[in-house]
Amino acid sequence: MAQYIARRLLMVIPTLIAISLITFIIMHATPGSPLQPRAPQANPLPPAAQEALARKYGLDKPLWQQYLTYLRHIFTLDFGYSYQYQTREVRDIMASTLPISLHLGIMAMALAILVGIPLGVIAAINQNGPVDYLCSFIATLGVAVPNFILALFLIVLLVLLIPVIPRTGGWDSPIDWVLPTIALALGPIGIIARYTRASMVEVLRQDFIRTAYAKGLSDRQVILRHVLKNGLIPPITILGPMFAAIGTGSPFVEKIFRVPGMGRFFVDSLIARDYPMIMAVILIYGAFLAIMNIIVDILYGIVDPRIRLA
């Protein structure tokens, strides 16, 4: 197990290098320049000012030299200074925003697992019945409705019409966490519920389940001991990429609820063509995704001992 984890961790390094190279090429191939103001009424910078900024950020050098310089620095987690927030280093921005996005992502993921898996189990047990249709409708609704639409709906319903939540926006107290967590969790709830239902329906049709019933086990014993453990592999598979996506910042939800997370900065950096910030966010997402996939592989062996990691 230790050797397997070590090999997978070593594979993360070339993966991140490839991600950084692809991102670097795409950014510089896109028309436009980060040295020009993006506001509609902004005055264009004079050529002398653009040349000075290009020298300051190393943009006057050949692209291959820019990339090699960047690659050398990121191994020490030095992402450089933000083009948009010129007095702030990118790693300082990451240090203050990533924990908030992770906090929101962990709460949303926990809610999605606590609701999505039971929803899928109930739907599978009551296959083709009214309860199954109701659970499937809720799951489909979670997948179909974008989280920013749900966020606006929650604000109108729970803040304006039924003032259960006294205010919206910010990240100062636990009451501020409720609405963004629900808005971010609905989509994963639907996906987890649908995967769980499909997997459990397939397991329920297996011969060993009929054998378990023939041995006199109760419905609860069969579901918990045999069906659930064997049916959790597909839902676990999607948990890694899903958590990597919502744990590294949700731009729309963070914008709407004014959560000072990494997602808001990523949107602003895309608009401003803030190369260091864009590269840092994408690399963090890539590293997070790779690590989550390793954790998922380890969970396979815990849930189903028949799976051995070579």
Side-chain angles (χ1 to χ4, degrees):
M1 175 69 75
Q3 293 180 352
Y4 172 80
I5 295 174
R7 287 198 304 269
R8 289 294 302 272
L9 288 175
L10 288 176
M11 285 299 298
V12 173
I13 297 176
T15 301
L16 293 180
I17 293 176
I19 292 174
S20 67
L21 178 59
I22 294 171
T23 306
F24 184 85
I25 293 174
I26 292 176
M27 283 192 313
H28 286 80
T30 305
S33 170
L35 303 180
Q36 286 288 8
R38 307 302 299 173
Q41 304 299 326
N43 295 322
L45 293 176
Q50 292 190 42
E51 292 177 2
L53 287 174
R55 286 194 300 270
K56 176 181 178 181
Y57 294 115
L59 297 176
D60 57 334
K61 300 176 181 178
L63 289 181
W64 65 268
Q65 190 172 351
Q66 293 183 41
Y67 177 71
L68 291 180
T69 301
Y70 178 81
L71 199 62
R72 185 174 68 252
H73 288 164
I74 62 173
F75 281 104
T76 59
L77 297 181
D78 181 10
F79 297 102
Y81 282 88
S82 168
Y83 294 170
Q84 186 178 11
Y85 308 95
Q86 299 181 10
T87 59
R88 299 186 63 183
E89 290 191 47
V90 172
R91 61 182 174 188
D92 293 336
I93 298 176
M94 295 291 101
S96 61
T97 58
L98 181 58
I100 296 175
S101 293
L102 276 176
H103 184 190
L104 176 59
I106 290 172
M107 291 190 298
M109 200 69 212
L111 179 62
I113 293 173
L114 292 175
V115 177
I117 290 180
L119 204 64
V121 171
I122 294 171
I125 295 174
N126 300 276
Q127 186 181 4
N128 298 326
V131 177
D132 180 19
Y133 293 142
L134 177 61
C135 294
S136 298
F137 171 76
I138 296 173
T140 303
L141 191 67
V143 176
V145 178
N147 53 24
F148 62 90
I149 297 295
L150 178 63
L152 297 175
F153 173 76
L154 291 174
I155 292 174
V156 173
L157 179 64
L158 299 179
V159 178
L160 301 178
L161 297 180
I162 308 173
V164 178
I165 305 297
R167 64 180 184 275
T168 179
W171 198 252
D172 299 325
S173 64
I175 196 67
D176 299 326
W177 307 345
V178 176
L179 294 185
T181 299
I182 297 174
L184 194 57
L186 184 62
I189 285 174
I191 296 173
I192 293 172
R194 291 176 68 86
Y195 270 80
T196 304
R197 180 194 179 278
S199 179
M200 290 199 59
V201 167
E202 183 179 352
V203 174
L204 283 168
R205 296 171 179 169
Q206 300 297 319
D207 292 337
F208 73 90
I209 298 298
R210 287 192 290 269
T211 302
Y213 278 117
K215 290 166 59 177
L217 297 179
S218 64
D219 290 341
R220 181 177 180 181
Q221 290 175 320
V222 172
I223 296 299
L224 294 179
R225 293 183 183 179
H226 300 282
V227 180
L228 188 58
K229 290 188 67 175
N230 287 276
L232 280 179
I233 298 299
I236 287 177
T237 302
I238 63 172
L239 291 183
M242 189 181 298
F243 182 56
I246 67 176
T248 52
S250 175
F252 296 113
V253 172
E254 291 182 3
K255 273 283 188 182
I256 291 173
F257 292 104
R258 300 198 304 277
V259 177
M262 194 168 67
R264 293 180 61 190
F265 280 88
F266 184 55
V267 173
D268 294 339
S269 65
L270 287 175
I271 297 174
R273 298 178 61 86
D274 190 347
Y275 292 164
M277 192 72 185
I278 296 172
M279 293 282 288
V281 173
I282 293 178
L283 282 177
I284 288 174
Y285 171 76
F288 205 71
L289 178 60
I291 292 173
M292 290 307 303
N293 284 333
I294 296 174
I295 294 175
V296 166
D297 288 345
I298 296 173
L299 289 177
Y300 284 162
I302 296 176
V303 172
D304 190 346
R306 295 174 300 176
I307 299 177
R308 292 291 180 263
L309 302 177

